[in-house]
């Protein structure tokens, strides 16, 4: 049995020696004849990927190109102006970072910038956060921080961490449209923080945005230090190797050229026309086999390297936003997608691996292994005679993989030789292409996100309703009104969202709304409460 298993491992292993990369799908239970049955479909997906890179319109409902592959190989761009833009932007990013590091570009009242805070949401924050965590070190030129939500307490925590260094902090504001509310709110919170110190946001900020966007106009009007482009052919979740990710990384002092080189090298490997020799094609086929091509199982991502702790979060957006679609390309209702979650090994052996081994079999695992334990020059300390902590980490990975196999649970293992900017770029490129190929296998559009837009519109409707609630209360200041009465006065037929709004306003006394409970208070009395607006 062990010999048969080794033969299977050897037969299915994909190895890219120049990248120090291995992909093992031998623990996926492919049905007999699976590769032959899927051959025409995966070859068609590879053909369509070639057309995508050549400039085909891959997002027909928006009528735009999808070209994040050109970011690391601008010579492939279908138009000379795109190539020139990519190359020029990279040089501008590197020159700007060098000028900041040399203090040629400096803050209003400090001798140099020592920190940066990236303000973004989704891919505009996850990619830079991943790179910062995976590649950062005490030798970084600047300390990175992130506003990646519209949580006021989150803003406070970051500002508290920056402390007295705010005057030496460079803000990188990232929003393609410039209208993303989370990013706008973070920018305004920073603006207020700078003003409290008698400083201006513009003298401490750069924008990464679409040309002519709201943010682009705001940055120009407020004297931002620089503006860098976000092109409509780069989606947020595939933007890490554009100025979105390269600018923060370069400011931090990371080797962005090595990241681009790693991605370009992986792109080259994943252009292989033979599916079984193409790691992205093999990965997409493994996903299809494990999920039945219908999202029947979740993807659990377990990187056995602390530096890759955020990789599962990064993949969560890349995979779920790309593949989670109600309709396929023919307009048929399909409800596609693959749920992604994960943390890191061996932490998970003390968390949810118990369920993975003994609980419901509704997942497949992706192990990510890094062969080199330390950066070069670090000591290998023994924890037992002849045994290091890294040996244990490897043992836990292999042991968990085997324990899951013994229970009939499927897994994939991605192995890289060492963690560094080149390897990170390669991992990003691998999963970007695998997602695109899998999307074509299941006939969905990987490059739009209608559900995200629906959520934004629904959120704005809540803000609009809140304004009407305030108007209803303000029209009769001091008068106690029930939820139903306020809803009616606000022109809302459903009292539930009004209750949600009032509950939160009451919890924040500075908003001036108070709740009066009936006496004696009994179960359910909260729904008989009245609300009134008072002076703060």
């Amino acid at each position: 049995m062990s010999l048969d298993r080794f033969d299977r491992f050897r037969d299915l292993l994909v190895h890219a020696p120049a990248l120090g990369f291995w992909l093992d799908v031998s623990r996926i239970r492919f049905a007999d004849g699976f590769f032959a049955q899927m051959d025409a479909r995966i070859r068609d997906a590879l053909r369509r990927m070639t057309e995508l890179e050549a400039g085909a319109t891959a997002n027909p409902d928006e009528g735009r190109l999808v070209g994040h592959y050109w970011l690391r190989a601008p010579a492939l761009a279908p138009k000379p102006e795109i190539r020139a833009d990519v190359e020029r932007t990279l040089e501008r990013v590197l020159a700007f970072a060098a000028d900041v590091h040399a203090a040629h570009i400096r803050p209003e009242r400090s001798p140099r910038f020592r920190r940066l805070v990236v303000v973004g949401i989704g891919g505009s924050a996850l990619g830079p956060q991943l790179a910062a965590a995976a590649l950062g070190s005490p030798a970084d030129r600047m300390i990175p921080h992130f506003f990646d939500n519209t949580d006021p307490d989150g803003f406070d925590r970051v500002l508290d961490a920056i402390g007295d260094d705010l005057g030496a902090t460079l803000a990188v504001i990232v929003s393609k449209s410039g209208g993303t509310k989370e990013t706008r709110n973070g920018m305004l919170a920073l603006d207020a923080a700078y003003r409290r110190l008698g400083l201006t946001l513009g003298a401490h900020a750069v924008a990464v945005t679409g040309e002519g966007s709201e943010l682009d106009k705001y940055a120009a009007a407020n004297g931002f230090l620089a503006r860098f482009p976000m092109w409509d052919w780069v989606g947020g979740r595939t933007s890490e190797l554009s100025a979105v990710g390269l600018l923060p990384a370069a400011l931090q002092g990371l080797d962005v050229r090595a990241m681009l080189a790693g991605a370009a090298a992986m792109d080259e490997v994943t252009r292989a026309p033979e599916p079984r020799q193409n790691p992205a094609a093999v990965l997409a086929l493994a996903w299809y086999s494990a999920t039945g091509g219908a999202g029947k199982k979740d993807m659990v991502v377990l990187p056995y390297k602390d530096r890759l702790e955020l990789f599962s979060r990064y993949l969560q957006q890349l995979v779920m936003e790309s593949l989670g679609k109600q309709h396929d390309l023919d307009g048929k209702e399909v409800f596609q997608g693959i749920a992604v979650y994960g943390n890191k090994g061996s932490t998970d052996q003390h968390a949810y691996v118990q369920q993975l081994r003994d609980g419901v079999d509704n997942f497949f695992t992706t192990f990510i292994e890094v062969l080199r334990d330390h950066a070069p020059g670090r000591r290998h300390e023994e924890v037992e005679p002849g045994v290091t902590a890294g040996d244990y980490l490897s043992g836990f990975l292999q042991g968990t993989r085997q324990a899951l196999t013994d229970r009939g649970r499927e897994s994939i293992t991605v192995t890289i030789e060492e963690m560094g900017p080149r390897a990170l770029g390669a991992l990003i490129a691998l999963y970007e292409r695998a997602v695109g190929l899998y999307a074509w296998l299941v006939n969905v559009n990987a490059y739009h996100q209608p559900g995200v837009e629906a959520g934004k519109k629904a959120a704005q409707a809540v803000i609009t309703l809140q304004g009407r609630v305030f108007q209803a209360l303000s029209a009769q200041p001091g008068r106690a009104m029930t939820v139903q009465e306020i809803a009616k006065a606000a022109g809302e037929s459903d009292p539930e969202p009004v209750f949600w709004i009032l509950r939160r306003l009451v919890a924040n006394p500075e908003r001036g709304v108070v709740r009066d409970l009936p006496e004696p208070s009994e179960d359910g009395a909260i729904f008989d409460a009245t609300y009134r607006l008072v002076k703060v």
Side-chain angles (χ1 to χ4, degrees):
M1 184 67 178
S2 60
L3 181 59
D4 292 341
R5 178 174 287 170
F6 181 71
D7 288 342
R8 177 182 173 82
F9 169 76
R10 185 172 56 184
D11 180 54
L12 292 174
L13 185 68
V14 182
H15 181 205
L19 276 169
F21 170 86
W22 291 258
L23 172 64
D24 166 34
V25 295
S26 64
R27 302 295 173 97
I28 295 292
R29 296 191 302 271
F30 296 106
D32 291 342
F34 173 82
F35 288 103
Q37 293 166 11
M38 297 295 293
D39 188 68
R41 293 171 66 178
I42 191 61
R43 288 182 186 276
D44 180 65
L46 288 167
R47 175 189 61 78
R48 295 170 77 171
M49 184 64 74
T50 300
E51 293 173 353
L52 177 81
E53 289 193 291
T57 301
N59 206 350
D61 60 339
E62 296 177 354
R64 65 178 176 86
L65 307 180
V66 173
H68 44 275
Y69 301 104
W70 310 327
L71 297 170
R72 51 265 196 173
L76 295 178
K79 299 177 183 179
E81 57 267 32
I82 293 178
R83 174 178 181 172
D85 280 348
V86 173
E87 293 175 339
R88 181 170 53 250
T89 298
L90 175 60
E91 294 307 319
R92 285 189 59 218
V93 162
L94 294 173
F96 182 84
D99 283 343
V100 169
H101 295 159
H104 298 318
I105 296 174
R106 62 187 63 168
E108 281 181 293
R109 293 205 298 258
S110 295
R112 65 188 314 113
F113 285 110
R114 295 186 292 271
R115 297 175 186 262
L116 68 143
V117 56
V118 179
V119 184
I121 193 76
S124 297
L126 276 170
Q129 284 174 311
L130 170 64
L135 304 175
S137 77
D140 289 346
R141 304 297 298 269
M142 299 175 73
I143 301 170
H145 305 270
F146 297 90
F147 277 11
D148 63 349
N149 201 354
T150 184
D151 179 2
D153 184 55
F155 297 157
D156 292 343
R157 293 180 66 193
V158 173
L159 291 172
D160 288 345
I162 293 172
D164 294 339
D165 250 3
L166 183 61
T169 298
L170 176 66
V172 180
I173 318 294
V174 186
S175 173
K176 182 186 288 188
S177 68
T180 306
K181 300 305 182 186
E182 296 96 334
T183 304
R184 189 268 323 255
N185 296 349
M187 179 180 71
L188 294 178
L190 267 182
D191 183 34
Y194 284 119
R195 282 191 283 107
R196 285 193 292 271
L197 295 177
L199 303 172
T200 60
L201 174 66
H204 302 81
V206 298
V208 183
T209 187
E211 184 177 357
S213 73
E214 293 178 35
L215 176 56
D216 193 41
K217 295 172 184 175
Y218 184 91
N222 288 274
F224 276 31
L225 295 169
R227 289 172 287 156
F228 295 89
M230 286 185 76
W231 301 290
D232 65 355
W233 43 266
V234 178
R237 57 190 174 278
T238 55
S239 64
E240 169 55 20
L241 298 179
S242 73
V244 170
L246 297 182
L247 178 60
L251 288 167
Q252 188 176 342
L254 309 182
D255 189 345
V256 299
R257 288 194 185 277
M259 288 174 62
L260 290 165
M266 180 58 78
D267 283 341
E268 196 62 37
V269 170
T270 54
R271 290 189 190 104
E274 286 302 316
R276 295 283 296 276
Q277 298 171 13
N278 182 322
V282 171
L283 195 56
L285 288 168
W287 294 352
Y288 192 98
S289 174
T291 66
K296 293 179 181 178
K297 290 190 175 182
D298 302 338
M299 183 191 305
V300 179
V301 181
L302 296 180
Y304 276 68
K305 180 63 68 174
D306 285 2
R307 288 184 175 274
L308 289 173
E309 181 178 7
L310 295 183
F311 195 53
S312 58
R313 283 183 58 199
Y314 177 82
L315 290 184
Q316 195 170 61
Q317 182 186 12
L318 176 64
V319 174
M320 295 179 72
E321 194 167 271
S322 299
L323 303 180
K325 303 297 161 61
Q326 180 179 355
H327 297 98
D328 67 11
L329 290 169
D330 300 320
K332 180 182 176 183
E333 198 167 66
V334 291
F335 297 107
Q336 271 288 354
I338 302 176
V340 179
Y341 64 93
N343 187 12
K344 65 179 180 181
S346 66
T347 300
D348 289 290
Q349 293 176 219
H350 303 274
Y352 53 73
V353 166
Q354 167 64 33
Q355 177 169 314
L356 298 187
R357 186 174 187 272
D358 293 342
V360 59
D361 186 9
N362 63 346
F363 69 94
F364 66 97
T365 301
T366 298
F367 295 100
I368 300 179
E369 177 186 29
V370 180
L371 296 179
R372 179 169 289 175
D373 293 338
H374 292 288
R378 296 278 187 160
R379 288 177 56 85
H380 286 253
E381 301 288 354
E382 294 185 352
V383 295
E384 296 172 10
V387 180
T388 68
D391 296 333
Y392 266 107
L393 187 66
S394 178
F396 284 133
L397 184 156
Q398 295 181 57
T400 303
R401 175 174 174 266
Q402 186 57 46
L404 294 181
T405 300
D406 291 344
R407 274 287 197 266
R409 310 301 166 91
E410 296 179 284
S411 68
I412 296 165
T413 303
V414 172
T415 299
I416 55 176
E417 190 166 306
E418 60 182 315
M419 189 62 245
R422 181 177 169 85
L424 183 63
L427 286 174
I428 289 171
L430 170 69
Y431 278 90
E432 284 179 349
R433 195 173 299 254
V435 163
L437 294 174
Y438 180 87
W440 279 314
L441 289 179
V442 298
N443 196 37
V444 298
N445 184 351
Y447 304 110
H448 70 163
Q449 52 279 339
V452 175
E453 298 307 313
K456 291 179 181 179
K457 291 177 181 177
Q460 188 57 51
V462 173
I463 299 299
T464 301
L465 175 58
Q466 178 175 296
R468 299 204 306 269
V469 167
F470 264 117
Q471 287 177 354
L473 292 167
S474 300
Q476 303 181 68
R479 183 197 166 195
M481 303 168 67
T482 65
V483 171
Q484 291 84 351
E485 289 172 331
I486 296 169
K488 183 177 180 180
E492 173 58 51
S493 60
D494 183 2
E496 182 181 336
V498 175
F499 176 83
W500 276 65
I501 289 169
L502 291 168
R503 180 175 60 181
R504 189 179 152 276
L505 292 175
V506 168
N508 292 272
E510 65 273 14
R511 309 304 293 273
V513 177
V514 298
R515 177 175 59 212
D516 299 311
L517 292 171
E519 294 290 346
S521 183
E522 299 175 355
D523 290 345
I526 190 70
F527 294 106
D528 298 322
T530 56
Y531 300 81
R532 52 195 169 87
L533 188 65
V534 299
K535 288 186 178 180
V536 180

